[in-house]
Amino acid sequence: MKNKTIKKVDLIFEQVDHLAILDKTLNRSSEEIILDIIDSGLRGRGGAGFPTGLKWKFARNEDSEQKYVICNADEGEPGTFKDREILTQVPEKVLTGMAVCGKAIGASEGYIYLRAEYNFLLPMLHQKIDTFNNVLKEKKFDFSVAIRSGSGAYVCGEETALMESMEGFRGEPRNKPPFPTSKGYLGKPTSINNVETLVFALMIANLGPKMFKELGTFDSRGSKVFSISGDTPSAGIYELELGMTLEDFVNEFGDGDTKAVQIGGASGYCVARKNFKSTVIGFEGIPTGGSMMLFNSSRSMYNILRDYLEFFEEESCGQCTPCRIGCQQLLKGVEAVKKGLKPPSYLENLQRLSETMKIASKCGLGQSVGNPFNSIINNFREEIIY
Amino acid sequence: MPTKVLIYIKVHIINPTKNFMTRIEQFVKEQADYYGRRRNSLMPILQAVVQSERYLSEEAMVAVAEELDLSTADVFGTASFYTFLDTVPRGKNIIKVCKTITCHMKGKDEIISTIEDQLKIKLGSTSSDGRFSLLQANCLGWCHKGPVMLVNDEIYTEITPEKTVEVIRDYLKKTK
Ligand SMILES: Cc1cc2nc3c(=O)[nH]c(=O)nc-3n(C[C@H](O)[C@H](O)[C@H](O)COP(=O)(O)O)c2cc1C
Ligand code: SF4
Ligand code: FES
């Protein structure tokens, strides 16, 4: 069978005249801007995939003097590194995307929450932001951007934890609802969007929704920036059309010996070779914030699972019991099975525990630990036991 | 009944050191002047202290609490949440080797043992001359170029044991 070639796209990294797009957008009404984004079908690129146009609409419809735009540049999901590259290569597009969002929802302040691991970007970003803020002032558009830094906590990428952190508290996720669009940063309506989402929104504001809709599938419109790592001869950052099968993906990026692919980072799913053909990368199949990790047959899936669990055990904020204790027990549990201290059937207990974590945890971190856990155990049970 | 006369004596406890500010207190005050004294100024101020001192001493946290009118426990409670806001002394240069999955696959263990040998320190500790701390961190966002490490804010990608030795040697020269 001949394989489809994967379509490479260049919307994100293409250099554009961002000020011309800004002028064009500032002359439109916020309804028009939002309708275009809704029509395009753009969904959040940070992982959760919420429709961006709707998010903006909710924030816009809130009656409040003060609203905020936040650009989520916390990028902590293992295997994800595209936001750093976007901020490095096209910072003006990110800033302009924030201004477009500000115009759409009626906010006058925007913040970039940048993870501390990317502090080396600060001097460059500060300079770009100063210039940009001055331009906005000249244009008499009431909006300005500032940066806030993280301090090495993965959970602060979760939107409400990020806001707690910006407010000066421990980065512990809040209960939802209320959602940030009604009560976000400092209790005000806030639209929080991933770096990549904001750039796509800018490109849709520039080129119209049609070109975006023509890419991808019904559920997964457009393209997406992928962070590809692991056992691959072509590790790196690629913008690809959504809706490809994993088989096509592996044919393009694998090393010929790919046994599994982890889609969506540590909190995503592990797909084994036998399912490559039937797996679609996108919201109708397995969604991803961009992380694609390839493993070839030289890798021990036990080590990989252990690494993931260790990651979650360290990064759990500890606020709720199912996640705090659950992460520890899953890690201890698989180690015990591996060492023969517990029988293989103990894995079923652990899988039940991970189901409980999915139901009872407060935020996406605890809720998604079961994704890698169950998908690795179901596909590679022997490797975990022996 | 005799009337009781209560005499209140106001005692001023004079703290001889309180008239001048220590260097840290002065630094914290400057940061508070710059970032403001509201709750959402807390993180930027703590980050500035760590940037300059490499960690948050008790003295620094007390000073921050005083400037922002918070309890010291609250300041410590917030700081202790964040891996990069250390509350134990760290070296002038902080090395953070990425330990997460792809860097693990690409040989971070070898990098760590190379640095341990070169600096004669164990993972997680600080050299006795206070020049280096060697730590691990979770995914640093360069997985396509693993293994990677941060030295302070500087990133080093696709490092080999040989390259690591060179990088550390440069820092040894730079830091007296
Ligand atoms: C534990 C956890 C970590 C997250 N980390 C990030 C992140 O680093 N970057 C990001 O954009 N979204 C992250 N998210 C998703 C955000 O909560 C939020 O959905 C997203 O920023 C919304 O932007 P979007 O709609 O443009 O995707 C994380 C979610 C969870 C539960
Ligand atoms: S699920 Fe985990 S990370 Fe999320 S609030 Fe609960 S303990 Fe914290
Ligand atoms: S795993 Fe090391 S940088 Fe991502």
Side-chain angles (χ1 to χ4, degrees):
Chain A
M1 197 187 99
K2 244 185 95 74
N3 290 300
K4 266 200 336 209
T5 46
I6 298 174
K7 187 160 171 200
K8 302 206 167 116
V9 188
D10 193 14
L11 289 170
I12 294 287
F13 293 105
E14 178 197 12
Q15 295 292 339
V16 295
D17 182 353
H18 65 283
L19 293 181
I21 307 179
L22 183 67
D23 286 338
K24 188 157 113 186
T25 317
L26 292 186
N27 283 326
R28 302 176 73 203
S29 72
S30 65
E31 286 87 353
E32 283 174 319
I33 301 172
I34 292 177
L35 275 179
D36 269 3
I37 305 287
I38 292 179
D39 186 27
S40 74
L42 173 64
R43 295 171 67 165
R45 297 303 197 231
F50 192 81
T52 307
L54 274 187
K55 187 184 281 187
W56 290 16
K57 187 173 156 190
F58 291 153
R60 188 197 113 80
N61 288 348
E62 290 288 328
D63 190 17
S64 171
E65 284 281 298
Q66 183 67 270
K67 296 180 188 178
Y68 298 102
V69 174
I70 297 177
C71 168
N72 189 341
D74 197 49
E75 189 159 65
E77 188 66 56
T80 317
F81 38 89
K82 44 119 191 153
D83 292 339
R84 170 183 50 68
E85 198 65 22
I86 297 173
L87 283 166
T88 307
Q89 289 197 25
V90 286
E92 282 94 356
K93 284 172 85 172
V94 180
L95 297 175
T96 316
M98 292 176 73
V100 169
C101 179
K103 163 83 189 182
I105 71 168
S108 59
E109 282 178 44
Y111 293 93
I112 298 178
Y113 187 92
L114 185 74
R115 67 190 305 222
E117 291 83 343
Y118 294 168
N119 273 352
F120 56 87
L121 288 175
L122 283 174
M124 180 275 284
L125 285 177
H126 278 304
Q127 193 222 325
K128 300 279 180 197
I129 287 173
D130 285 346
T131 313
F132 188 71
N133 285 344
N134 283 331
V135 170
L136 293 185
K137 210 181 272 167
E138 277 164 26
K139 294 190 188 297
K140 304 216 166 10
F141 175 52
D142 182 19
F143 189 77
S144 66
V145 179
I147 303 192
R148 290 291 176 269
S149 295
S151 273
Y154 163 69
V155 73
C156 286
E158 198 280 336
E159 51 196 19
T160 59
L162 184 150
M163 288 166 195
E164 287 289 306
S165 174
M166 275 181 57
E167 290 177 20
F169 297 96
R170 295 164 66 86
E172 292 172 348
R174 302 171 181 166
N175 277 322
K176 287 190 268 190
F179 291 96
T181 45
S182 54
K183 279 195 170 49
Y185 180 50
L186 299 174
K188 304 292 179 204
T190 305
S191 176
I192 175 164
N193 296 96
N194 175 256
V195 176
E196 185 187 340
T197 312
L198 288 164
V199 179
F200 273 126
L202 176 79
M203 294 310 279
I204 292 163
N206 184 34
L207 303 169
K210 194 161 162 286
M211 61 85 205
F212 193 79
K213 268 200 299 198
E214 281 166 2
L215 294 169
T217 63
F218 183 78
D219 290 308
S220 312
R221 297 285 188 210
S223 51
K224 167 95 196 71
V225 183
F226 287 87
S227 311
I228 301 172
S229 67
D231 295 314
T232 158
S234 34
I237 294 157
Y238 299 85
E239 184 177 342
L240 307 173
E241 184 176 10
L242 280 171
M244 69 197 115
T245 67
L246 189 53
E247 184 176 48
D248 290 338
F249 177 87
V250 169
N251 284 336
E252 177 104 8
F253 294 100
D255 63 355
D257 185 26
T258 309
K259 97 166 155 186
V261 180
Q262 178 80 12
I263 306 180
S267 59
Y269 294 85
C270 182
V271 182
R273 190 183 287 151
K274 64 178 192 294
N275 296 325
F276 286 175
K277 200 176 260 172
S278 59
T279 302
V280 175
I281 303 169
F283 295 106
E284 64 271 58
I286 301 188
T288 169
S291 169
M292 303 291 286
M293 285 183 258
L294 293 91
F295 305 115
N296 68 20
S297 55
S298 74
R299 303 294 171 190
S300 145
M301 296 311 287
Y302 169 78
N303 284 346
I304 290 164
L305 178 61
R306 225 191 132 272
D307 260 29
Y308 288 152
L309 292 174
E310 210 174 77
F311 173 80
F312 287 119
E313 196 252 339
E314 287 171 13
E315 297 293 345
S316 163
C317 83
Q319 188 186 186
C320 64
T321 317
C323 170
R324 181 183 66 243
I325 308 291
C327 288
Q328 292 168 357
Q329 291 304 317
L330 293 183
L331 176 60
K332 275 194 199 163
V334 289
E335 286 175 342
V337 171
K338 186 77 177 177
K339 286 186 191 133
L341 300 172
K342 291 276 179 197
S345 62
Y346 190 65
L347 289 177
E348 275 81 69
N349 290 354
L350 295 176
Q351 286 188 289
R352 275 203 298 281
L353 171 61
S354 78
E355 289 303 321
T356 308
M357 290 169 69
K358 184 170 266 167
I359 300 164
S361 293
K362 185 167 173 179
C363 86
L365 191 153
Q367 288 160 9
S368 56
V369 176
N371 301 345
F373 189 78
N374 286 312
S375 57
I376 293 181
I377 297 220
N378 291 338
N379 283 313
F380 300 99
R381 204 182 146 86
E382 288 74 30
E383 288 192 41
I384 306 303
I385 300 170
Y386 305 109
Chain B
M1 228 168 65
T3 45
K4 251 194 202 161
V5 181
L6 288 177
I7 301 169
Y8 288 97
I9 305 172
K10 215 172 170 190
V11 184
H12 283 278
I13 300 172
I14 296 162
N15 179 347
T17 61
K18 213 55 208 179
N19 286 331
F20 349 48
M21 284 183 137
T22 64
R23 186 180 62 82
I24 297 282
E25 285 168 344
Q26 183 64 35
F27 181 83
V28 168
K29 182 178 173 300
E30 283 163 16
Q31 300 307 315
D33 289 342
Y34 182 75
Y35 289 110
R37 288 177 168 74
R38 279 184 305 196
R39 181 76 198 214
N40 57 3
S41 319
L42 178 59
M43 288 292 284
I45 295 174
L46 294 179
Q47 286 160 347
V49 175
V50 171
Q51 191 71 26
S52 142
E53 307 297 316
R54 291 285 169 246
Y55 85 111
L56 293 165
S57 59
E58 191 179 326
E59 185 192 4
M61 285 188 275
V62 170
V64 172
E66 232 166 70
E67 285 292 344
L68 268 57
D69 199 14
L70 299 169
S71 78
T72 317
D74 202 349
V75 172
F76 176 75
T78 306
S80 65
F81 183 85
Y82 296 95
T83 349
F84 284 18
L85 298 180
D86 275 312
T87 50
V88 292
R90 295 288 188 208
K92 286 204 182 87
N93 298 297
I94 303 182
I95 306 167
K96 293 186 179 118
V97 181
C98 175
K99 62 180 271 211
T100 312
I101 193 75
T102 16
C103 290
H104 195 173
M105 285 162 50
K106 306 278 172 186
K108 63 96 184 165
D109 288 334
E110 219 185 329
I111 303 297
I112 289 173
S113 56
T114 305
I115 303 174
E116 284 180 329
D117 287 348
Q118 190 179 4
L119 294 175
K120 311 267 178 304
I121 54 175
K122 280 251 155 325
L123 182 63
S125 66
T126 300
S127 60
S128 52
D129 59 7
R131 284 202 278 180
F132 290 93
S133 294
L134 175 61
L135 308 173
Q136 297 193 102
N138 277 322
C139 183
L140 297 173
W142 294 87
C143 328
H144 56 322
K145 295 191 170 168
V148 303
M149 66 176 177
L150 274 174
V151 183
N152 309 327
D153 285 342
E154 209 67 43
I155 187 83
Y156 296 89
T157 60
E158 292 174 300
I159 47 176
T160 55
E162 297 75 38
K163 204 168 146 189
T164 309
V165 168
E166 263 172 51
V167 170
I168 303 292
R169 203 179 284 144
D170 282 349
Y171 278 91
L172 274 166
K173 273 191 220 140
K174 269 192 270 178
T175 328
K176 285 287 163 268

